[in-house]
Amino acid sequence: MVSIFYDLETTHLSPLGQILNCCFVAVDRSWKELGRYSAELAISPLQLPEPEAVLANRTQVMSHQLQASKSERQALKEVHSFIGDTISRSGEAVELIGYNSARFDLNFLRTSFIRNGLNPYFYGKVVPKDLLHTVRYLSVTNASFPRCPRTSLGETAGTKLSLGLEPISQALGLLSDKQRHHSAADVDLTILLAKTLATAFGVDVRTHSAYPAAELHAMGRAHPVVVALTPQLDLQSPLIASRRPLSLLTNDGKSGLWIDLLEYREGKGRDAIKWMSTNSRSLLIDLDDVASQAYTADAIRARDQFRDINLSTFFHRSTCDIEADIFRLSFSEIESLESAIWTGNKLAISNSDSKDIRELYIRNRLSELDWSCATESQEQRLAAYALYRYGGACNIQKGHIGTLDPSLHEAAAHHTLAYYLDRLKTLQASATNPEEREILDQLGVFYQSSPISRVAGRQLLDAVRLPLTPRISTGPGDLDPRARPHMLAP
């Protein structure tokens, strides 16, 4: 058994952002380290980091740029090789394990791979796991497992449960100070916590199934109502688990659609249906005669109402930015992008009907240019992208269908440059220590010196009104002075 533990620190919560630093550590069955890859990635000229992100990562971005020796494309190629080589040496599939990685790191990593022309699936030889799922399982099944209070969130601080890496590690005596929030240190801490949970509580993340599909689906088919056990968040409650009635609508070998019967009873309709899978969620269910009697009628009614919904029809094709939903690309589209980026075969893209891969290719080219000697046409292309992404027209929510109006503050829109500057000013005014002030001051310098500010800063701050339907490029182009500028939007 060989597993790879990993962590990413990034510029954004959205996968349109970029990895700042990463660490991947391979270990054997005995937890012995077999190999390690870590890197500091230079921030792409397409990126303006979020103020909250660099504060959380404690990244002084101007200093970071001086120390980072690899571009995103170069580093991701090396990460891809590290994972592939580990699989080859192990001779079998390997687990890829992070902390809270199912909801963040995994999608971020896969998006970063694909936009750099790298297939993230490794022919099914990578099995994603999340140590947080193991922690959640222990939290609802073992009364002796630490129940740590949240230290922030205003009025709820101290009264709500936290299952974060830092408080759990501190409670188990694995961390005496604050979590560093640097990928290398966090990976080492994650491995130590995983080993401790296996030794002290008998649950090994490498073998524990957070979503045992066959068992869950069999129980869901046999019973119209089952009860999901989730961590009890209220520390004042004597219970360690909350109970929520579910009904299985449909399933396949790895995932299922479950109806939250409380939400259904509240009238939420289709929104009460939850997709859960082996990679994305943890689910522990139980049978409860009281819940069955109380909710069976709701389950029968809901199943009948949603009988035409299945795993093929549940998800609609999104219209958001391609990097906010990279998984709508087919395997053939990923292969075409790989061919264009790594072998220079632009025909693979030009001959494709996919607007998404043409946009990804152009953005990849823009991210690799030397902007100290850019041509006028290249600057026009970057300005078009900047006005789209940081001007209020970039949709980053899969659930929002259609275009955005940049004149409105729409929830689905990527944050604007004006928003970042406003947040920066607010955070600078409330900074409580010299380290925070230096981080924010360096971010301000980065904003001012960014190629984006140079080519489009005035227009962004003047709240330029963009067309509601950005023009689409007709081909990858050569990024030369003759190339036509376009909005670079899907």
Side-chain angles (χ1 to χ4, degrees), residues 15 19 72-73 76-77 80 106-122 322-323 325-342 349 356-357 359-361 364:
I19 298 169
E72 181 187 65
R73 186 197 294 184
L76 266 294
K77 180 68 170 177
H80 199 269
L106 182 62
N107 287 347
F108 210 106
L109 178 63
R110 286 178 167 175
T111 299
S112 300
F113 273 147
I114 292 173
R115 72 174 175 225
N116 285 282
L118 301 164
N119 192 310
Y121 302 112
F122 296 93
I322 178 56
E323 292 184 64
D325 185 22
I326 203 82
F327 308 112
R328 69 182 183 226
L329 291 182
S330 65
F331 286 114
S332 62
E333 288 173 320
I334 295 173
E335 290 174 358
S336 295
L337 187 61
E338 178 181 15
S339 180
I341 289 176
W342 293 102
I349 290 182
D356 287 336
I357 61 171
E359 294 305 324
L360 288 171
Y361 174 76
N364 191 273

Side-chain angles (χ1 to χ4, degrees), residues 25 47 50 58 78 88 96 99 108 121 156 161 222 272 287 293 386 405 421 427 444 451 459 479 490:
V25 178
Q47 301 290 339
E50 292 180 338
R58 299 172 190 160
E78 293 172 357
S88 296
L96 184 64
Y99 198 94
F108 210 106
Y121 302 112
T156 65
L161 177 71
L287 298 180
Q293 292 176 7
D405 185 346
L421 292 174
L427 291 168
Q459 291 170 288
L479 299 180

Side-chain angles (χ1 to χ4, degrees), residues 22-330:
C22 62
C23 184
F24 295 76
V25 178
V27 300
D28 66 10
R29 182 185 298 272
S30 301
W31 304 97
K32 177 183 177 182
E33 183 173 323
L34 302 176
R36 174 182 296 249
Y37 177 87
S38 60
E40 299 285 336
L41 282 63
I43 301 173
S44 159
L46 274 59
Q47 301 290 339
L48 297 178
E50 292 180 338
E52 286 82 359
V54 297
L55 273 181
N57 300 334
R58 299 172 190 160
T59 302
Q60 298 182 4
V61 291
M62 297 304 292
S63 301
H64 172 88
Q65 290 295 80
L66 294 174
Q67 298 167 1
S69 59
K70 300 180 187 297
S71 69
E72 181 187 65
R73 186 197 294 184
Q74 178 186 4
L76 266 294
K77 180 68 170 177
E78 293 172 357
V79 171
H80 199 269
S81 296
F82 177 82
I83 296 174
D85 291 345
T86 302
I87 294 171
S88 296
R89 287 194 299 270
S90 71
E92 58 184 0
V94 303
E95 293 85 22
L96 184 64
I97 306 169
Y99 198 94
N100 197 22
S101 52
R103 297 185 63 183
F104 180 74
D105 300 76
L106 182 62
N107 287 347
F108 210 106
L109 178 63
R110 286 178 167 175
T111 299
S112 300
F113 273 147
I114 292 173
R115 72 174 175 225
N116 285 282
L118 301 164
N119 192 310
Y121 302 112
F122 296 93
Y123 303 99
K125 294 294 186 179
V126 166
V127 181
K129 298 267 189 172
D130 189 337
L131 186 58
L132 175 59
H133 291 169
T134 305
V135 167
R136 289 173 61 87
Y137 173 80
L138 287 168
S139 180
V140 300
T141 60
N142 193 314
S144 66
F145 193 75
R147 292 184 58 77
C148 308
R150 294 181 181 178
T151 57
S152 57
L153 300 182
E155 295 180 358
T156 65
T159 64
K160 298 296 182 182
L161 177 71
S162 173
L163 296 178
L165 177 60
E166 178 179 294
I168 295 297
S169 298
Q170 290 172 337
L172 293 173
L174 309 178
L175 184 67
S176 58
D177 203 351
K178 290 184 177 296
Q179 183 181 344
R180 284 191 57 193
H181 291 287
H182 187 280
S183 56
D186 287 354
V187 165
D188 289 337
L189 182 60
T190 301
I191 295 172
L192 180 59
L193 176 58
K195 183 178 179 180
T196 300
L197 297 183
T199 302
F201 296 95
V203 183
D204 191 330
V205 64
R206 299 172 297 180
T207 56
H208 173 244
S209 177
Y211 187 94
E215 173 187 331
L216 294 174
H217 298 159
M219 190 178 295
R221 288 191 296 268
H223 303 276
V225 178
V226 296
V227 174
L229 304 180
T230 58
Q232 170 59 255
L233 300 180
D234 185 358
L235 292 177
Q236 299 176 347
S237 171
L239 304 176
I240 62 173
S242 295
R243 305 174 71 84
R244 198 166 190 88
L246 301 179
S247 184
L248 180 65
L249 179 61
T250 187
N251 67 275
D252 61 14
K254 293 185 176 181
S255 61
L257 296 179
W258 297 82
I259 305 167
D260 184 317
L261 296 175
L262 281 178
E263 292 190 2
Y264 179 75
R265 184 176 282 187
E266 292 168 357
K268 293 188 177 180
R270 195 179 190 279
D271 289 341
I273 303 174
K274 313 299 180 183
W275 175 77
M276 301 185 190
S277 78
T278 53
N279 292 343
S280 66
R281 296 290 184 92
S282 60
L283 181 61
L284 177 65
I285 62 175
D286 191 11
L287 298 180
D288 186 324
D289 290 339
V290 174
S292 181
Q293 292 176 7
Y295 288 95
T296 292
D298 296 281
I300 294 172
R301 187 165 54 252
R303 286 177 172 183
D304 181 63
Q305 180 180 341
F306 302 133
R307 62 184 179 276
D308 294 330
I309 297 177
N310 55 49
L311 288 163
S312 299
T313 61
F314 181 68
F315 298 102
H316 59 261
R317 183 174 176 85
S318 66
T319 60
C320 66
D321 187 272
I322 178 56
E323 292 184 64
D325 185 22
I326 203 82
F327 308 112
R328 69 182 183 226
L329 291 182
S330 65

Side-chain angles (χ1 to χ4, degrees), residues 386-394 406-407 414-417 460 464 466:
L387 292 171
Y388 160 68
R389 178 171 171 183
Y390 299 104
C394 179
S407 67
H414 188 288
H415 287 320
T416 63
L417 173 60
L460 287 168
V464 166
L466 303 177

